[in-house]
Amino acid sequence: MRWHLLQIAVKFHELFKTLLTIRYMKKMPSLFQTVLFVCTVAVSAMMTSVSHAALEIEISGGNAQQLPIAIVPFNQDAVKNQENIANIISADLRRSGMFRVLETAGVASKPSAMSQVKYSDWASLQAQAIAVGKIEALPGNRLKVSFQLGDVLKQTQLADMDYNITPSQLRMTAHKIADVIYQKLTGESAIFASRIAYINKSKGRYALQVADADGVNPQTVVSSNEPIISPAWSPDGTKIAYVSFEKKKPIIFVQSLMTGQRITLASFKGNNSAPAWSPDGSKLAIVLTHAANSQLYLINADGSGLRQLTKSNAIDTEPVWSPDAKWVYFSSDRGGSPQIYKVSSIGGDAQRVTFDGPYNLSPRFSPDGKSLAMIRNDGGRYRVALQNLATGQVQILSEGNQDESPSFAPNGRVLLYATRTAGRGALAAVSADGRVKQRLSESGGDIREPAWGPLLN
Amino acid sequence: MNKGMFNKKVLGALVLAALLSACKSTPMTDKPAGVQDKSPAGASTQSSANGSADTSGVKEVVIDSNANNGNNPLKDPNNILSKRNIYFDFDSDAVKAEFRPLVEAHAKYLLANSNAKVVLQGNTDERGTREYNVSLGQRRAVAVKKSLNLLGVQDKQIETVSLGEEKATANCADEACNQQNRRVDVVYEND
């Protein structure tokens, strides 16, 4: 019994964690943060549409040049008890940080179609764009939503859309209209008609919830008295993979959102965790341990065809696919401290990706494959960082001390992440250029592990 | 000769008990009998805690309590087998020497009970990402497993898993609190 042989090499990352956290406990609020706070108060005061939202949203910062737009309240007598969808559209556009949504109450005319718009009214309000629309009842309990977008200066029509929907699709239709406005006026691709998933811990229970991207309509996908972590959307948005500790160890499940049906994807001896869908949704990269350290494996989406992807004596975890499916990026401490590596998705030797900073975890690809978000230990503070893969340049995007789980919006312009305030988890978002910041919080909830889903068709 | 000594002891005890009860004017109660009932139990508990290798008497107590009394040695607070937490230094996944008796006791139990199965649950403090902490906790569980392996326990009786930071005491303000979270728990299949 040679006991001394059991003493295993010292691991430095926890030492880093401890020393650096202590060193940076006393942090002065910066002028920048103070300015942001003022902006937050001002913008929050303007917002009227999210009072019933489960997740309250605060916005701070914003682009220097915000496009002034008038969103005229829709004529929606057909659905009188519903919130006017102009409010939902306005909130989406404000949240992007790229629009200044103008107060329209002072304008006497209330057009609901471009044919009724008197451009001079809106020019004097200094609007550059105007959106109008109406909702009409159709037979069979359906609704027709019409919407038009106009350029006030050129006096031209930019968009004209009709949507034939069920009443339950009204809110998502508002998000689709906001997407049309956003795409037409900014040139960016759509973002608002999407959903987010996250874990809400409340009263000792863990709920995996899905909400609209504006935090409204939270629905519980699965709840448990044991922890749930690492939700991951299938690329088509119909299923979520997650890790549940319901059997007192991490096991991966895949659950259909529509039917609630779930399969056990991986329940091997040891741990089963960190699911990551391949871009085509046919398989997942996962982490298994069997009787040793965490290693990467591939498994088909139905739980068949398990094969090992990395073989090391170190920790290999947090896999994520490159958008072209050629690479699996992951975090590993094979070089000492945790850094990000990549391995071909058909196997082979791993190559190191991050060299800057003592501690980089949780790689996430931007949808265009050009940049990599990660969690960097920045002097004891765990923050969201964004690395340009072509230049290697890194920008720290978040300002918390324990930020985690970065997740790109479908258009890559915004990152959602988990942060912590007053000992509780909350969600935050930051634009990829670092300018616009948002916080989403739920009173009494402890929210973590956000994952932004794909656009809804 | 042991028998004779035993008789003398019992006789002495009875005489002493008689004398004590005679001194008191209060009516006889169950107390003296209670004292006598307790002493064998206390003795056997002590021997099972200390004499890990000496006597066959220890084993008998264990087997009896399993079979008849439901007194599981794994749950007996006086038995080292009821100790289930192995703590780690903040910069290490090395199993510290102070936990050697605990690991040895569980190895001995697992070797003696080949049907018993144990889960080693690794845990970490809250700092770092959740998935990475699952892997860190696993490394600690594997370190304890290797200790058991070196003592002869086969892998088929052991599962190493990690709960990461999920069971950590939240919002630790100091190092003492964080240390409580850096832990492997020994959990038996039928616990």
Side-chain angles (χ1 to χ4, degrees), chain A residues 133-211:
Chain A
K134 58 177 182 286
I135 303 173
E136 298 160 285
L138 293 179
N141 194 30
R142 293 188 72 85
L143 299 171
K144 180 187 170 192
V145 181
S146 316
F147 139 81
Q148 286 113 37
L149 176 67
D151 182 329
V152 174
L153 303 181
K154 292 180 187 162
Q155 305 197 355
T156 53
Q157 186 167 297
L158 297 172
D160 181 7
M161 307 284 288
D162 286 340
Y163 303 87
N164 182 330
I165 59 166
T166 64
S168 65
Q169 295 171 310
L170 189 56
R171 182 167 269 280
M172 197 49 78
T173 303
H175 294 311
K176 287 182 178 178
I177 291 171
D179 271 331
V180 171
I181 298 171
Y182 176 83
Q183 289 172 279
K184 286 284 177 191
L185 299 178
T186 70
E188 301 286 350
S189 50
I191 178 170
F192 303 118
S194 58
R195 291 189 287 182
I196 57 172
Y198 51 86
I199 309 298
N200 189 351
K201 184 186 178 191
S202 178
K203 294 174 184 143
R205 283 190 74 80
Y206 301 78
L208 166 55
Q209 296 184 315
V210 167

Side-chain angles (χ1 to χ4, degrees), chain B:
Chain B
M1 56 178 179
N2 279 345
K3 201 175 178 184
M5 280 173 70
F6 175 76
N7 284 342
K8 271 184 195 169
K9 271 190 182 172
V10 171
L11 187 63
L14 287 174
V15 170
L16 185 63
L19 285 173
L20 284 171
S21 62
C23 289
K24 293 189 175 181
S25 56
T26 48
M28 272 273 274
T29 67
D30 284 346
K31 266 186 185 171
V35 169
Q36 286 204 333
D37 279 351
K38 275 183 186 171
S39 59
S44 69
T45 306
Q46 222 171 11
S47 65
S48 71
N50 293 336
S52 47
D54 303 359
T55 64
S56 57
V58 175
K59 271 187 185 166
E60 279 175 29
V61 171
V62 170
I63 292 162
D64 281 353
S65 41
N66 270 342
N68 302 326
N69 308 330
N71 286 335
N72 188 336
L74 298 170
K75 303 239 166 124
D76 178 353
N78 293 313
N79 192 316
I80 192 169
L81 291 170
S82 70
K83 305 275 187 291
R84 304 299 188 82
N85 313 120
I86 299 163
Y87 295 96
F88 291 77
D89 285 341
F90 65 87
D91 61 349
S92 169
D93 61 1
V95 182
K96 292 194 281 187
E98 66 188 271
F99 296 104
R100 177 177 177 165
L102 189 161
V103 173
E104 284 182 346
H106 286 286
K108 191 166 287 181
Y109 180 84
L110 287 164
L111 289 171
N113 297 273
S114 56
N115 290 328
K117 286 190 174 141
V118 72
V119 179
L120 304 172
Q121 293 177 336
N123 294 272
T124 70
D125 64 40
E126 278 196 303
R127 293 164 296 176
T129 67
R130 290 177 187 276
E131 280 290 356
Y132 197 78
N133 280 336
V134 169
S135 296
L136 272 185
Q138 174 68 12
R139 176 138 63 196
R140 293 197 171 121
V142 169
V144 175
K145 181 190 83 82
K146 286 178 178 168
S147 304
L148 292 173
N149 287 152
L150 285 179
L151 295 163
V153 184
Q154 301 293 305
D155 272 358
K156 65 181 180 191
Q157 281 182 275
I158 310 169
E159 181 169 15
T160 51
V161 303
S162 176
L163 305 180
E165 67 178 86
E166 301 309 319
K167 298 290 181 178
T169 304
N171 303 315
C172 275
D174 56 31
E175 194 42 38
C177 170
N178 277 324
Q179 172 157 18
Q180 292 292 305
N181 290 332
R182 294 191 299 263
R183 193 178 77 236
V184 168
D185 294 334
V186 181
V187 180
Y188 283 86
E189 193 175 51
N190 298 318
D191 266 355

